[in-house]
Amino acid sequence: MSVESIQAGKQLPNIRPEIVNYERRPSKPKQTELWTLLAIVAFCFAVFLVAPMLLVIIRSFTTASGSATLSNYAAVLSRPEFVRSITNSLAVSATSALVAVLLAFLLAYTINCTNVPAGFKKAVGLLAQLPMLLPTITYGFAIIYSFGKQGLITRLFGHQLFDIYGFNGLLMGYVIYTLPTCFLLINNSFQFVDKKFIIVSHIMGDKPLTTFLNTVLRPLIGTMAVAFIQSFFLAFTDYGIPTSVGGEYDVLAMTLFNQMLGSIPNFNRGAVIAVFMLIPSIISIILMTVLERFAIRYKQISQVDLPKGPRRDWLCGIASVVVLVCTLSVFAVILLIPFVTEWPFNVAPTFSHIANMFTDSELTQVFTNSLYVAVMTAIVGCLFAYAAGLVTSRSKLPNWAKRSVDAISAIINTVPGMVLGIAFLFAFSGSSLQNTFWILIIANIIHYFATPYQMIKDSLSKMNAGWETTAKLMGDNWIKTIVRVVTPNALPTILQVFGYYFVNAMVTISAVVFLTGARTQVITTKISALQHIAKFDDVFVLSLLILVTNLVVKGVIAFATRDRSAERAKTAARVTVRTPQLAAARSTVAADTRLTAAAQTAHNGTPDFPLPTSGNRKARNAFTAGLSAVLAVLLVGFGFGATATASTNGQVVIYTNADDEAVVAFQHALDENGFKNQYIIQSFGTSELGGKMLAEGKALEADMLTMSSYYVDSAQERNHMFADLTDVHSKLLGNSENSKAPAYRAPTTAQEGAIIVNTTALKEDGVPEPKSFKDLADPQYKGLISVPDMEGSSTGWLMIQAIADAYGTGEEGRAILTAIYRNAGPHLEQSGSGPLKAVRSGEVAIGFGLRHQAVADKKKGLPIDYVDPEEGNYSLTESVAVLDKGAKTNPKAQKMAGVIIDKGRAELLKTYPTPLYQGEKAPANASKRSKTFPKPLTVDLLQEHQDFSSECKRIAQGK
């Protein structure tokens, strides 16, 4: 047949006119659909990333008075620990990223380039992703409870294998944390490496190393570099792991954490550090552009049997087992601790922790919330990442358009979740998004966009570049081609992206902890709150629940993606071209763009089953579209419905940082005085609630809150957000600083500090029980004590105040505090509950913390005791306050505040035995050395004492 006859359309009844007239088509297609996708992606980034981050950048130049200067930058750069934290972060992040990439490559190579059993490959693929199924906040706990002095693995070996604090602990935590991400990226790219070239290289007689370098490593070098960048920034921006095992090894994320969420939150200086953390994104953008040159695209992926190599298989198999055992052994305690009475003191088996979890109605609601947020994050996130991937990988849009999406992806890598959460707090306070599930969903999609986008991009870029062109010549529109050709081939990757988004939405804390409300709390924010009140057993139980949930989802995805490549190969083998004339037309019309088996299947249909008629297809499509629309409306509406319900039923929303004992006392007082079912109590950590108060002001969802008094005072000074209390009738005692409490707050509890000891560990270490803070400065206690860092926790203020009052801030006081910090070493904790955690786990014998928590532990029969120091038990109060929302103020809030003080103090006094109001008497468990601050608690006094503490810390650490 001649070309002329083909062009005339003779003997080609199945060829559409578009093919005959292909020469008259414009050389540059309009690509309207792709431009539309680009516009949507750009709009979302502009609203939900660029605008919020611009607010953070503006904050970095803004002073407390509102003027724009460089004073914040000068203040941050003048601190010697800032430069040190940068170099430390670069060193440990780069090392951990390199190790994670190498280990991930080994695991992916074992799965894709060896002949180990198929079941073994599936097990490796699943276990390699296991660490990402847990929240990073538990990583530090897991390392301590595994490799610490009383850890599970330490007990099995009979001695501690290595020091877990500082560089060692961070390296271990970061490698475990980033390994799954590296594995997903590399393993996904392996799916698109044509292994027939391995066979060809063997036939050509190449040496094994040459074959490996040219046919395996060379096609993956770009992806491995991207994985390194992803891993580096995940480690660089994480603060959860350094909080537990960072020790004296300062990293930039902890510096940021202390500025944003320390005892004196300073968002402006924190914004400066956030800006510095964004600078590496410029380097990553350049690297990503360079790495594009290494991308290899195959016309078609061949399914071939790999050459035999028993030695290779055995070595890779054994090495993979070793890697997985070393990685996952850290998490064995998570499977153990929920089923023992009290680790490590009483290892008798019990199911009480699990039973309590399933009988807690609040937890059931929180878990339901988490599932909704995770599912919607995964669905919308997949669509968003897929749209962005199509723009950059399946289009002929200008390079600037593609590179802009790549640049945004690189920038997202460098944005710490905590900064993103704060940025959303600044940008959307008072908007319709505030305190909805959708603000959590959007934050998750943006926060975790980089890896799903890279997975989708890798998958799409390695497919045949001519599918869309060929389909267009055959008369199919772009949308139909994407749905029927491209998407089926990308489906395994899309499902992996779904799993990635779901899992990360289930485990994330940093990006959403500031954004949850009374009805939108998720399970990880519950874990964060439990950590602050030292309920570590419950933390492990909830972590186990998250693990099981994520395992189920990953298992379903693994089942859905099983053997898809083999199925596609079989489908391709069944497909035949209907007419030789059509085949000739295709070869003539699209000489450079060959229609692959998948595209042929999409266009012609596979004649293995009857196709539905046109009418049935239209009816089915209409029904599917209608059902999808209804489900979409319901799901979106549910995401916005939480706050609407709260506002319409008149319930009072109460935010609190109080311990469980205090919350129970609040509930008893309210329920017994006519307010049952008329309120919602939402618990937060002190730092998180403080951040919300300072950032949101009157836009805070709460109608009433209980919070550390000096935080309430700071928020009132900054935002003027509280109304004077009208229904509190109890009168404060006249012999404390609280007698001068302002009219807008009333103290609920007094939190006293005390020395806490592990009596068992004290005997094992052979040291006497300390009686004072001065005793803690004795060199015999070196490495045996843990105290909170005042910069990160206000609990440390209690110890600093005692030392300052007893010994002054001059030479004697400085010498004592310096010696205490030197003895604490890596156990200078950033959270108030940190020392109690270290004492409970046996990491140290002595700590300083809140007295009532030690009293509760001793009452439970744990080998925990407390010592009222000779310098005195100083206390910080927490107060109740009512938000002034003008006409929107809930009238019940004032009455409830009065009930909590007037009716609830009797029960509160049992746990917090410091009298605050007239007529109260100290119970038998009260401290005998109770003291109060001689000066009003102000931010200025806090800063004065923090400067004293920082000076002693620098001397102790020799910095």
Side-chain angles (χ1 to χ4, degrees):
M1 178 179 294
S2 65
V3 175
E4 289 79 6
S5 63
I6 293 176
Q7 293 174 337
K10 295 178 181 180
Q11 301 180 21
L12 297 173
N14 293 328
I15 295 183
R16 299 174 183 174
E18 294 90 333
I19 297 179
V20 177
N21 298 322
Y22 73 94
E23 291 181 346
R24 293 194 292 269
R25 291 178 175 245
S27 58
K28 292 184 178 180
K30 294 181 180 180
Q31 303 185 96
T32 304
E33 300 90 347
L34 287 161
W35 279 110
T36 303
L37 286 182
L38 177 61
I40 294 172
V41 170
F43 174 79
C44 292
F45 279 135
V47 174
F48 299 114
L49 179 66
V50 176
M53 291 309 301
L54 280 177
L55 291 177
V56 173
I57 294 173
I58 292 172
R59 283 270 186 158
S60 71
F61 293 98
T62 307
T63 62
S65 61
S67 58
T69 69
L70 294 175
S71 60
N72 294 322
Y73 285 85
V76 171
L77 291 173
S78 64
R79 302 179 63 176
E81 62 267 26
F82 177 69
V83 177
R84 184 173 59 252
S85 66
I86 291 178
T87 56
N88 287 348
S89 292
L90 292 174
V92 71
S93 299
T95 305
S96 62
L98 179 61
V99 174
V101 169
L102 293 176
L103 296 182
F105 178 82
L106 169 65
L107 298 176
Y109 182 85
T110 302
I111 292 175
N112 294 280
C113 293
T114 69
N115 291 317
V116 298
F120 181 84
K121 291 183 178 182
K122 291 180 180 179
V124 170
L126 179 61
L127 294 176
Q129 301 173 55
L130 193 61
M132 71 184 297
L133 308 184
L134 288 162
T136 57
I137 196 171
T138 64
Y139 279 42
F141 296 140
I143 292 173
I144 292 172
Y145 279 74
S146 296
F147 294 98
K149 291 181 179 179
Q150 298 294 327
L152 175 63
I153 295 176
T154 299
R155 288 189 169 193
L156 292 176
F157 280 89
H159 63 90
Q160 191 170 11
L161 300 179
F162 53 88
D163 185 8
I164 62 174
Y165 297 98
F167 184 89
N168 293 340
L170 292 175
L171 180 63
M172 176 186 293
Y174 287 155
V175 169
I176 295 172
Y177 170 40
T178 61
L179 179 63
T181 298
C182 294
F183 171 78
L184 283 174
L185 286 170
I186 297 173
N187 188 57
N188 181 67
S189 289
F190 255 119
Q191 312 301 316
F192 300 95
V193 172
D194 196 338
K195 299 178 183 64
K196 72 181 179 184
F197 293 105
I198 300 177
I199 306 297
V200 173
S201 182
H202 275 278
I203 295 174
M204 297 297 292
D206 291 341
K207 293 180 179 179
L209 180 60
T210 302
T211 300
F212 172 78
L213 293 175
N214 290 334
T215 65
V216 178
L217 191 61
R218 170 67 179 84
L220 292 172
I221 193 67
T223 299
M224 291 179 66
V226 170
F228 176 88
I229 294 173
Q230 298 272 59
S231 178
F232 174 86
F233 282 115
L234 283 174
F236 190 74
T237 59
D238 176 70
Y239 77 91
I241 297 171
T243 300
S244 297
V245 295
E248 299 175 276
Y249 195 84
D250 297 329
V251 291
L252 195 58
M254 280 309 303
T255 305
L256 173 64
F257 178 84
N258 288 334
Q259 287 294 332
M260 287 286 196
L261 296 177
S263 55
I264 308 178
N266 191 322
F267 294 138
N268 297 335
R269 292 187 183 180
V272 172
I273 300 173
V275 169
F276 275 101
M277 296 185 79
L278 294 176
I279 292 176
S281 65
I282 300 174
I283 301 174
S284 67
I285 292 170
I286 297 172
L287 288 175
M288 296 287 249
T289 303
V290 173
L291 293 174
E292 286 293 328
R293 302 176 185 176
F294 293 93
I296 292 178
R297 176 178 287 174
Y298 297 100
K299 287 289 184 181
Q300 187 173 351
I301 307 301
S302 304
Q303 302 298 326
V304 298
D305 293 328
L306 293 169
K308 294 182 179 180
R311 183 185 302 176
R312 172 202 63 197
D313 296 347
W314 275 100
L315 287 175
C316 290
I318 293 173
S320 296
V321 170
V322 171
V323 169
L324 292 174
V325 169
C326 292
T327 301
L328 301 180
S329 60
V330 175
F331 301 108
V333 291
I334 294 179
L335 303 177
L336 174 65
I337 289 179
F339 299 99
V340 300
T341 303
E342 191 75 41
W343 181 272
F345 311 118
N346 184 358
V347 295
T350 181
F351 288 95
S352 60
H353 300 310
I354 303 296
N356 292 338
M357 178 180 69
F358 285 106
T359 56
D360 189 341
S361 59
E362 179 185 356
L363 179 60
T364 303
Q365 183 62 51
V366 167
F367 182 63
T368 303
N369 294 347
S370 295
L371 287 179
Y372 173 78
V373 170
V375 169
M376 292 305 295
T377 297
I379 293 174
V380 181
C382 278
L383 294 174
F384 189 64
Y386 193 48
L390 289 171
V391 167
T392 56
S393 300
R394 308 296 300 182
S395 76
K396 295 178 181 176
L397 297 181
N399 285 335
W400 63 263
K402 299 179 181 180
R403 289 176 180 173
S404 63
V405 179
D406 288 336
I408 289 292
S409 173
I411 291 173
I412 289 174
N413 259 336
T414 67
V415 179
M418 178 171 50
V419 175
L420 186 65
I422 289 289
F424 269 49
L425 205 60
F426 293 155
F428 301 111
S429 291
S431 72
S432 58
L433 277 176
Q434 183 183 3
N435 300 312
T436 65
F437 288 118
W438 274 104
I439 196 170
L440 307 182
I441 293 166
I442 294 170
N444 286 334
I445 291 171
I446 298 296
H447 185 205
Y448 293 106
F449 171 79
T451 297
Y453 165 71
Q454 192 62 46
M455 292 169 65
I456 290 287
K457 181 182 175 183
D458 284 347
S459 174
L460 295 177
S461 64
K462 288 178 172 61
M463 295 179 190
N464 192 312
W467 287 351
E468 289 92 332
T469 303
T470 304
K472 188 173 184 179
L473 293 172
M474 300 304 300
D476 286 345
N477 60 41
W478 180 84
I479 295 177
K480 185 182 293 186
T481 305
I482 294 300
V483 172
R484 298 174 63 183
V485 181
V486 178
T487 301
N489 281 273
L491 188 58
T493 300
I494 293 173
L495 291 175
Q496 292 293 336
V497 167
F498 180 95
Y500 183 88
Y501 262 128
F502 180 94
V503 165
N504 279 285
M506 285 293 293
V507 304
T508 187
I509 295 178
S510 57
V512 301
V513 71
F514 299 101
L515 306 176
T516 55
R519 294 179 181 272
T520 59
Q521 188 184 27
V522 292
I523 199 166
T524 47
T525 57
K526 181 69 173 178
I527 289 177
S528 180
L530 290 171
Q531 179 197 15
H532 285 286
I533 59 177
K535 292 199 166 226
F536 302 113
D537 289 335
D538 292 342
V539 167
F540 280 109
V541 172
L542 295 182
S543 298
L544 182 61
L545 177 61
I546 292 175
L547 175 62
V548 171
T549 302
N550 287 336
L551 277 175
V552 170
V553 172
K554 295 295 288 187
V556 171
I557 291 174
F559 178 80
T561 57
R562 72 192 192 287
D563 300 329
R564 288 192 59 84
S565 59
E567 291 174 6
R568 287 199 301 270
K570 292 178 181 178
T571 301
R574 292 198 305 265
V575 175
T576 58
V577 180
R578 288 186 175 180
T579 65
Q581 295 92 337
L582 186 55
R586 285 173 178 155
S587 63
T588 303
V589 173
D592 294 330
T593 310
R594 297 171 184 170
L595 190 61
T596 63
Q600 292 173 14
T601 303
H603 180 71
N604 294 325
T606 304
D608 290 350
F609 51 87
L611 294 175
T613 63
S614 176
N616 290 339
R617 186 186 297 115
K618 290 181 178 180
R620 182 188 63 188
N621 291 343
F623 174 79
T624 303
L627 181 61
S628 300
V630 171
L631 290 175
V633 170
L634 291 176
L635 289 173
V636 172
F638 182 81
F640 283 105
T643 52
T645 303
S647 61
T648 55
N649 62 16
Q651 289 181 310
V652 173
V653 177
I654 305 173
Y655 280 3
T656 182
N657 72 325
D659 297 334
D660 275 2
E661 294 85 355
V663 172
V664 169
F666 298 159
Q667 292 172 329
H668 287 167
L670 294 173
D671 291 350
E672 293 168 5
N673 288 275
F675 291 106
K676 190 171 185 178
N677 298 324
Q678 298 184 43
Y679 61 89
I680 303 172
I681 296 182
Q682 175 64 59
S683 296
F684 291 91
T686 301
S687 299
E688 289 82 0
L689 180 52
K692 287 177 70 71
M693 288 167 54
L694 295 176
E696 293 187 353
K698 291 184 178 181
L700 197 70
E701 177 194 23
D703 299 299
M704 181 178 75
L705 58 80
T706 72
M707 180 59 172
S708 300
S709 298
Y710 81 92
Y711 254 123
V712 175
D713 293 339
S714 298
Q716 178 72 352
E717 181 180 358
R718 179 179 299 185
N719 299 320
H720 307 288
M721 56 191 291
F722 300 114
D724 288 350
L725 298 178
T726 59
D727 289 61
V728 175
H729 304 295
S730 300
K731 303 298 182 181
L732 287 163
L733 293 172
N735 61 347
S736 72
E737 79 280 0
N738 292 311
S739 62
K740 302 176 182 178
Y744 57 80
R745 67 171 175 84
T748 54
T749 61
Q751 313 272 341
E752 285 188 318
I755 296 173
I756 305 170
V757 297
N758 183 321
T759 55
T760 301
L762 209 61
K763 291 179 182 178
E764 292 177 354
D765 293 323
V767 293
E769 183 179 86
K771 302 298 182 183
S772 66
F773 293 118
K774 190 172 183 178
D775 288 347
L776 295 182
D778 193 314
Q780 69 176 324
Y781 294 111
K782 185 174 179 60
L784 301 180
I785 67 174
S786 176
V787 295
D789 186 352
M790 183 181 172
E791 187 175 1
S793 169
S794 58
T795 302
W797 195 3
L798 301 174
M799 184 182 73
I800 302 301
Q801 177 65 45
I803 293 174
D805 274 6
Y807 308 106
T809 56
E811 184 176 347
E812 185 180 12
R814 189 183 303 113
I816 291 174
L817 184 56
T818 299
I820 291 175
Y821 285 158
R822 187 177 293 116
N823 286 343
H827 296 290
L828 183 60
E829 305 286 350
Q830 296 299 322
S831 68
S833 60
L836 180 59
K837 175 184 66 180
V839 172
R840 280 184 182 174
S841 63
E843 285 296 291
V844 297
I846 307 162
F848 176 81
L850 297 178
R851 186 178 186 272
H852 69 275
Q853 293 179 340
V855 171
D857 278 3
K858 182 177 181 179
K859 188 176 181 180
K860 288 193 298 184
L862 303 181
I864 301 295
D865 206 346
Y866 55 94
V867 177
D868 294 328
E870 294 174 355
E871 293 85 355
N873 300 89
Y874 285 81
S875 62
L876 290 171
T877 63
E878 295 183 350
S879 294
V880 63
V882 174
L883 272 82
D884 183 4
K885 297 186 176 183
K888 296 182 179 180
T889 301
N890 194 319
K892 299 177 185 177
Q894 288 282 5
K895 297 179 181 179
M896 290 187 183
V899 167
I900 286 176
I901 300 300
D902 297 336
K903 305 295 183 181
R905 276 291 301 165
E907 183 175 347
L908 289 169
L909 202 59
K910 297 176 183 178
T911 304
Y912 309 92
T914 302
L916 296 175
Y917 293 89
Q918 296 176 15
E920 294 181 347
K921 294 182 179 180
N925 62 342
S927 63
K928 302 301 186 290
R929 299 187 176 94
S930 180
K931 289 189 176 182
T932 58
F933 282 66
K935 298 179 181 179
L937 302 187
T938 63
V939 173
D940 290 338
L941 179 63
L942 183 62
Q943 186 65 62
E944 177 186 331
H945 285 162
Q946 191 175 105
D947 292 340
F948 169 57
S949 172
S950 298
E951 180 186 2
C952 295
K953 183 170 63 172
R954 284 195 294 269
I955 297 172
Q957 297 176 350
K959 299 174 180 177

